[in-house]
Amino acid sequence: MSWQILIMYGVAAVFSIIGAYMLLALTRPAGPAKVYVFRMVGIMALSAGIVLAMSATAMWQWSAPG
């Protein structure tokens, strides 16, 4: 596994953790603006992390010998 793939997995983990935290933070009462922003940014960050992890996995499989 190359460094580029490891970095992609690391960035994917960071995005996923931030997105999950923001979505879990919605369990506490908050104003409508904060709910809107946390929901939108949380979903986008979590989605970016998932897609980046899938891309890193595809890159890893394509670069594997065999």
Side-chain angles (χ1 to χ4, degrees):
M1 185 180 305
S2 67
W3 286 106
Q4 293 88 352
I5 296 171
L6 289 173
I7 290 169
M8 284 178 73
Y9 277 124
V11 173
V14 169
F15 275 133
S16 297
I17 290 169
I18 290 171
Y21 170 77
M22 291 184 84
L23 291 174
L24 289 173
L26 292 173
T27 58
R28 294 181 295 247
K34 185 176 179 181
V35 168
Y36 176 77
V37 170
F38 271 47
R39 186 181 299 152
M40 292 299 293
V41 175
I43 288 171
M44 287 189 289
L46 189 58
S47 299
I50 291 168
V51 170
L52 192 57
M54 290 189 307
S55 297
T57 302
M59 241 173 110
W60 184 19
Q61 290 174 351
W62 292 337
S63 66

